Amino acid sequence: MFDVSRDAPLPPLPGVGYKPQHYADIIKNPDPVGWLEIHAENYMGDGGRPIAQLRHLAERFPISVHGVGLSIGSEGDLDPDHLARLKHLVDWLNPASFSEHLAWSTHDSHFLNDLLPLPYTETTLAQVASHITQVQDTLGRQMLLENPSSYLAFAESTLSETEFLREIAARTGCGLLLDVNNVFVSATNLKTSPQAYIDAFPLEAVGELHLGGHDEDEDETGAPLLIDSHGKAIVDPVWSLLDYTLERSGPKPLLIEWDNDVPDWATLAKEATRAATALTKVAA
């Protein structure tokens, strides 16, 4: 079992994904950043400079741990070694938040370097709920589950994505991580309304918001195809969708993700400043 009350939540401020090349700038002047996110798999070792820097940062900032390798949506069992390493990290770091993706990335003993989708059925609902319960019981804390970027829809799905996520949260007590860019990417690719998705989303369960950049392409028919790349500045339509979301959710911890072609600190801080302005508009 887990105890939600033991965790000090992330503040409703802008955060950024931490990159070692920004360490000196963050220590010198982090404004307007109020918290940092790390990817769990980068910090599962026992020592060295990465761990030393993380320990120092954790003395100054709330830390969010974002997992990318648990394969919550896989058909098979969770990897016990991976889960044990994750527990070791969470135990000594005591982060303000832990999150993972609604996706799968393993098959038998093979790890696939991608976050792959799954159909929304009663079978996958039971399977994902069981895995989340295992993670929360092992870590002794609530986790957040992130909505994916979608490039196709499964014909066998019997639930919408928002219905699936709502039921997962109800069954397991987990929270949700709402990635606004993922909503925009999925809605564009699947030709649906991103605003309708936000309206149907269980915002009361959201513990964290994400924003990131995406690449633009075309499918074989010439229709727009967006790729969730985390390698560019956030586009204006995604900022507008964030405003739409915040008007309904109120202020939330808001992360700027930029994982590829990482810019200098000034560029990243500029995105965080825009996030701070968006939060201020709904906090007034």
Side-chain angles (χ1 to χ4, degrees), residues 115-134:
L115 297 169
L116 300 170
L118 60 161
Y120 299 134
T121 66
E122 289 296 329
T123 298
T124 54
L125 183 62
Q127 154 189 316
V128 171
S130 175
H131 286 164
I132 290 174
T133 297
Q134 181 183 358

Side-chain angles (χ1 to χ4, degrees), residues 37-59:
E37 180 195 86
I38 63 163
H39 286 173
E41 288 73 14
N42 292 335
Y43 294 91
M44 288 183 172
D46 290 327
R49 177 176 292 182
I51 299 298
Q53 288 185 342
L54 179 56
R55 288 185 184 276
H56 190 199
L57 291 170
E59 294 173 355

Side-chain angles (χ1 to χ4, degrees), residues 16-17 19-23 25 230-234 256-271:
V16 296
K19 299 295 183 288
Q21 59 264 44
H22 296 148
Y23 178 79
D25 290 305
H230 297 179
K232 293 183 177 179
I234 300 154
I256 303 297
E257 290 187 291
W258 202 322
D259 298 320
N260 298 302
D261 298 324
V262 177
D264 60 20
W265 177 249
T267 301
L268 193 59
K270 184 178 180 181
E271 294 283 89

Side-chain angles (χ1 to χ4, degrees), residues 9-10 27 60-61 75 78 139 162-163 167 203 208 222 284:
L10 291 170
I27 294 300
R60 299 188 55 176
F61 300 95
E75 289 185 347
L78 298 180
L139 300 184
T162 53
E163 290 171 335
E167 182 60 23
L203 295 173
E208 190 176 325

Side-chain angles (χ1 to χ4, degrees), residues 215-251:
D215 292 332
E216 299 180 3
D217 204 339
E218 294 182 351
D219 66 16
E220 65 275 8
T221 70
L225 176 66
L226 303 186
I227 309 296
D228 181 33
S229 63
H230 297 179
K232 293 183 177 179
I234 300 154
V235 298
D236 286 343
V238 173
W239 285 111
S240 296
L241 185 60
L242 172 68
D243 290 337
Y244 186 89
T245 302
L246 289 173
E247 288 172 2
R248 287 150 182 78
S249 70

Side-chain angles (χ1 to χ4, degrees), residues 68-88:
V68 298
L70 267 180
S71 197
I72 288 288
S74 62
E75 289 185 347
D77 295 335
L78 298 180
D79 181 343
D81 293 333
H82 188 100
L83 191 55
R85 291 193 296 271
L86 176 62
K87 177 175 171 53
H88 174 71

